[in-house]
Amino acid sequence: MTTTTAARKRVQAKAEYDAFLAQCPSRKLLDRIADKWVTLVLAALRSDGSHRFGADCAGEPRPMRYSELSRLLAGVSQKMLTQTLRSLERDGLITRTVVPTVPVTVTYELTDLGVSLHEVVRGLKGWAETHMDDVLANRATYDNQVA
Amino acid sequence: MTTTTAARKRVQAKAEYDAFLAQCPSRKLLDRIADKWVTLVLAALRSDGSHRFGADCAGEPRPMRYSELSRLLAGVSQKMLTQTLRSLERDGLITRTVVPTVPVTVTYELTDLGVSLHEVVRGLKGWAETHMDDVLANRATYDNQVA
DNA sequence: CAGTATCCAGCTAGATACTG
DNA sequence: CAGTATCTAGCTGGATACTG
């Protein structure tokens, strides 16, 4: 029964790793994926690139070029973008495809694993945008009470 | 119609803030919440404190003492824990309650806003634990191809 | 117990310059 | 176009010591 096996495997994985433990590798992985640039890159690769609002979380993962990403993630440095992309590629979350045109064309695209992570991190970007006003209000209140 | 108003307000908030933009405050907020310690603190305050596997994401938010959090988030320094708790308190995600016993007792508890963020970040911790093996395998493959 | 205060090593991330 | 390489300011976070 594949279903039972898959379910058991998932439970075992859950039991094997625990990010509450300092030495657990999943703690480090959590640190990697809980990152602003990771979140934005994944969101970008799922957007339609038009940068219309609500354009993220579109149906299909869309391949994007380095320069497109660079433009969409406003203000990101080349270093951070490259670093983030390499890290995501190494972890198997995105693929990097080089087309030998002149000049060379490089596209990045989400893998299935990358899509699965995007499902969870897209909530982060959305939450920040949706609750920005609440948080701002709470900060004002807090800072007033302190001062 | 409160429903329409609330819905419109949410749409406006979405349109108002966009984390893709460098100057947007939601970019900074995203940076704050996309954090390892934030994720673990929120997960802890939703766990039953027993640190049984799968104990996070329990039904009720549970108040926890500083020392309990310190023990559960293995390896966290006092500085980081305090810093994270203050930041979460300021943003209105948790409450801090001081009971004047001797010595003093301090408990932290999720607010409704905190619970709503936990809903999204608990996926991060779970994803890291569930897909750790996949990522490890992908890294091995990648490092082999490079070397 | 639940912090605060201070110091400092080291990493991060931006800026800048250069390249196949 | 899609990077790499280098330098550095400054921030992060750990260690340590002290307190109501």
Side-chain angles (χ1 to χ4, degrees), chain A residues 17-20 27 32 34 36-37 51 53 72-74 90-91 116 127 129 132-133 138-139 142-143, chain B residues 17-20 27 32 34 37 51 53 72-74 90-91 116 127 129 132-133 138-139 142-143:
Chain A
Y17 297 111
D18 182 358
F20 278 136
R27 164 85 59 104
R32 282 264 169 82
K36 175 183 50 180
W37 298 125
H51 196 205
F53 298 111
L72 186 52
L73 307 205
R90 187 167 103 100
D91 290 352
S116 83
W127 191 96
E129 290 164 354
M132 190 69 243
D133 286 325
N138 289 329
R139 283 180 189 172
Y142 182 92
D143 293 347
Chain B
Y17 297 110
D18 182 358
F20 279 138
R27 163 87 57 105
R32 284 264 170 82
W37 297 125
H51 196 205
F53 298 112
L72 186 53
L73 308 204
R90 187 167 102 103
D91 289 354
S116 83
W127 192 94
E129 291 164 353
M132 189 70 243
D133 286 326
N138 288 330
R139 283 180 189 172
Y142 183 92
D143 292 346

Side-chain angles (χ1 to χ4, degrees), chain A residues 8-90:
Chain A
R8 190 149 15 105
K9 263 184 77 173
R10 223 172 305 120
V11 170
Q12 282 178 346
K14 274 271 182 185
E16 226 171 314
Y17 297 111
D18 182 358
F20 278 136
L21 304 175
Q23 336 84 291
C24 183
S26 70
R27 164 85 59 104
K28 281 202 158 194
L29 182 56
L30 176 60
D31 205 18
R32 282 264 169 82
I33 64 179
D35 176 77
K36 175 183 50 180
W37 298 125
V38 167
T39 303
L40 291 176
V41 165
L42 294 183
L45 292 176
R46 206 81 199 276
S47 78
D48 66 1
S50 72
H51 196 205
R52 275 189 279 99
F53 298 111
D56 44 315
C57 72
E60 284 299 293
R62 203 180 68 89
M64 282 183 82
R65 302 180 60 172
Y66 183 88
S67 49
E68 287 183 286
L69 286 166
S70 179
R71 230 171 299 120
L72 186 52
L73 307 205
V76 67
S77 64
Q78 286 189 334
K79 185 184 173 183
M80 285 315 298
L81 183 54
T82 302
Q83 210 167 90
T84 304
L85 290 170
R86 286 289 175 280
S87 164
L88 292 175
E89 186 195 1
R90 187 167 103 100

Side-chain angles (χ1 to χ4, degrees), chain B residues 18 34 39 48 60 86 89 105 116 122 138 147:
Chain B
D18 182 358
T39 303
D48 65 2
E60 285 298 295
R86 286 288 174 281
E89 186 194 1
T105 305
S116 83
R122 80 195 188 85
N138 288 330

Side-chain angles (χ1 to χ4, degrees), chain A residues 53 125 128-134 136, chain B residues 11-21 24-27:
Chain A
F53 298 111
K125 179 170 177 290
E129 290 164 354
T130 307
H131 296 285
M132 190 69 243
D133 286 325
D134 299 319
L136 251 25
Chain B
V11 169
Q12 281 178 348
K14 273 271 183 189
E16 228 172 311
Y17 297 110
D18 182 358
F20 279 138
L21 305 175
C24 183
S26 70
R27 163 87 57 105

